[in-house]
Amino acid sequence: MLSKDSKIYVAGHHGLVGSAIWNNLLQRGYTNLVGRSHRELDLTDQVAVKKFFDEEQPDAVVLAAAFVGGIMANSLYRADFIMMNMKIQCNVISEAYAHGVKKLLFLGSTCIYPKNAPQPMKEDCLLTSPLEYTNEEYAIAKIAGLKMCESYNLQYGTNYIAVMPTNLYGPNDNFHLENSHVMPAMMRKIYLAKLIHDGAWDKIAIDLNKRPVEGVTGEASKEEILNVLAKYGIYDNRVVLWGTGTPLREFLWSEDMADASVHVLLNVNFSDIIGIEKYSSVHYGASTDGAVDRNHSAGRGGAIPKLGEIRNCHINVGTGKELTIRELSELVVKAVGFEGQVEFDTTKPDGTMRKLIDVSKLHSLGWTHKVEIEDGVKKLFEWYSTL
């Protein structure tokens, strides 16, 4: 168990989930937190990451940093998505081990599961059939990350836990149209279409100055602004969204995800996931915090013979509830107060048709979500529109 004095490094502490985890830890009295912005520390730089760990010597690490984006970004930057994420994960996890970090929490994504996985998706369906092509590189990187955690635990007796959140949304979300996820992109598009119709160019300027679109800011001419927004399906009182609107998606409020993450960080050990009695009897030197003698390698080769094959030790984090993209758009329209038209461009890809996860393992470990989607969409728009 980590003490209130334990030094915890939150990688990605300015991001959607990282910032929420940081705040959740503070609220629980864990104040010895360490964070670095991307400008201060490039996690793809192996030398820089080693230097950081040498200087800070954290007791625990939350790896919430990642190179992320939606369908368009995943399609355009395939090499970046696999290489950047692999570099981040390899650097942080290897240095965490080299510096004797007691606990590590790795954040992945439910895009790790096969495109046609049985619904709802249990942890055990990992690697049972092909992935969704549009986010294959990101998924492979995240699968590698959870396998790193699993493999370090089995070979070195570390205590690294991987959690796989469903689609997240909340304060500090990414609203940049070029590389944002479905909900913030949808919300911003609908909001800007409403502002165009209302003639609220002062608010449009504020929005574009905070988040330029392809370099176009609020200082540009109305014609330039309308032209660039039209490229993203944003018009006067009309919005065009990608796909058919029929895919089903599950969404989790980011502060709920943070609470689940901190719950796992503080209360769940690798030994809890695979069976503490069996694990402790095989790994000599098991300690009370769930870690094991770092020099003992009974698990070398990917399995502990007495336990059989050990895999799929990650934990799904979500609500276990879903709605269609069209239903989501209706919630956003209501929250924004939009009275125009929302259309779907069926020539564009839908991505995976359904992505509901089974959260029974998470529930068995003592955590369930609190914020329902109807309230969450309202809360997100309140946050976005009052910035």
Side-chain angles (χ1 to χ4, degrees):
M1 180 68 179
L2 296 171
S3 71
K4 295 291 176 67
D5 297 326
S6 297
K7 181 181 282 190
I8 304 174
Y9 168 44
V10 182
H13 73 298
H14 287 319
L16 171 63
V17 185
S19 60
I21 288 174
W22 182 283
N23 292 332
N24 190 285
L25 284 164
L26 287 177
Q27 290 164 11
R28 292 175 185 244
Y30 291 82
T31 56
N32 191 7
L33 306 181
V34 181
R36 293 287 188 278
S37 67
H38 177 69
R39 184 174 297 177
E40 294 168 325
L41 175 61
D42 179 359
L43 292 176
T44 67
D45 183 336
Q46 186 176 9
V47 174
V49 174
K50 181 181 184 303
K51 184 173 183 288
F52 167 78
F53 274 85
D54 286 344
E55 293 172 353
E56 292 294 341
Q57 298 289 332
D59 298 302
V61 170
V62 176
L63 182 42
F67 186 78
V68 299
I71 292 177
M72 184 186 293
N74 272 271
S75 299
L76 292 174
Y77 311 117
R78 299 183 76 89
D80 289 345
F81 270 88
I82 191 164
M83 187 60 74
M84 299 284 279
N85 284 298
M86 288 292 290
K87 284 183 176 180
I88 291 169
Q89 294 160 194
C90 288
N91 290 341
V92 173
I93 293 173
S94 63
E95 291 304 326
Y97 173 70
H99 290 80
V101 165
K102 297 175 184 175
K103 191 77 177 281
L104 182 142
L105 185 73
F106 172 74
L107 276 68
S109 164
T110 53
C111 73
I112 63 169
Y113 292 119
K115 179 175 183 176
N116 297 316
Q119 304 287 324
M121 300 179 290
K122 292 181 178 289
E123 287 86 354
D124 289 344
C125 72
L126 180 66
L127 297 177
T128 55
S129 61
L131 298 164
E132 161 60 37
Y133 181 75
T134 56
N135 60 17
E136 193 173 39
E137 281 70 21
Y138 183 73
I140 288 171
K142 288 302 177 181
I143 291 170
L146 75 87
K147 284 295 182 182
M148 285 181 213
C149 293
E150 195 174 276
S151 299
Y152 267 82
N153 292 343
L154 292 173
Q155 181 168 342
Y156 298 117
T158 49
N159 197 16
Y160 302 166
I161 311 294
V163 291
M164 299 295 128
T166 188
N167 300 290
L168 300 173
Y169 68 106
N172 296 316
D173 212 335
N174 173 18
F175 283 82
H176 289 277
L177 295 179
E178 293 99 318
N179 60 1
S180 59
H181 283 126
V182 60
M183 190 186 300
M186 180 188 292
M187 185 170 285
R188 189 180 183 195
K189 288 178 180 182
I190 290 171
Y191 178 60
L192 286 170
K194 180 179 187 298
L195 294 182
I196 293 171
H197 183 68
D198 293 345
W201 288 96
D202 54 335
K203 292 183 179 179
I204 292 172
I206 291 170
D207 186 275
L208 291 178
N209 284 334
K210 286 180 180 174
R211 301 175 182 85
V213 179
E214 295 187 7
V216 175
T217 69
E219 309 306 315
S221 68
K222 289 184 181 180
E223 183 180 4
E224 286 178 295
I225 291 172
L226 290 173
N227 284 340
V228 76
L229 293 183
K231 290 174 65 175
Y232 292 88
I234 305 166
Y235 306 94
D236 180 350
N237 225 29
R238 183 169 71 92
V239 172
V240 179
L241 303 176
W242 277 31
T244 63
T246 58
L248 288 157
R249 288 293 181 271
E250 174 184 13
F251 293 93
L252 180 67
W253 182 244
S254 61
E255 291 172 344
D256 269 357
M257 173 57 195
D259 195 61
S261 298
V262 175
H263 173 82
V264 170
L265 178 70
L266 300 180
N267 302 299
V268 178
N269 297 308
F270 184 63
S271 52
D272 300 322
I273 296 171
I274 68 169
I276 189 166
E277 297 86 0
K278 290 181 179 179
Y279 190 63
S280 297
S281 67
V282 176
H283 278 87
Y284 307 103
S287 65
T288 55
D289 65 358
V292 194
D293 178 2
R294 289 158 52 80
N295 298 315
H296 186 67
S297 300
R300 190 179 298 279
I304 302 170
K306 289 186 181 179
L307 299 185
E309 294 184 352
I310 294 176
R311 52 165 56 102
N312 303 328
C313 301
H314 57 285
I315 304 166
N316 287 340
V317 182
T319 64
K321 301 178 181 181
E322 61 188 347
L323 77 168
T324 67
I325 296 298
R326 186 178 295 276
E327 288 170 335
L328 174 65
S329 72
E330 291 166 358
L331 291 178
V332 174
V333 162
K334 186 176 179 182
V336 173
F338 182 63
E339 296 179 350
Q341 283 189 310
V342 174
E343 301 171 7
F344 286 87
D345 181 353
T346 57
T347 66
K348 295 294 193 294
D350 273 325
T352 307
M353 291 306 294
R354 194 180 182 205
K355 278 180 60 178
L356 180 66
I357 56 173
D358 185 302
V359 289
S360 55
K361 182 189 285 189
L362 179 66
H363 289 174
S364 72
L365 294 168
W367 190 90
T368 55
H369 76 283
K370 300 173 183 67
V371 178
E372 300 296 348
I373 185 69
E374 295 80 6
D375 295 327
V377 169
K378 294 176 190 173
K379 286 158 67 83
L380 181 62
F381 182 66
E382 287 170 7
W383 178 85
Y384 179 73
S385 60
T386 54
L387 283 179

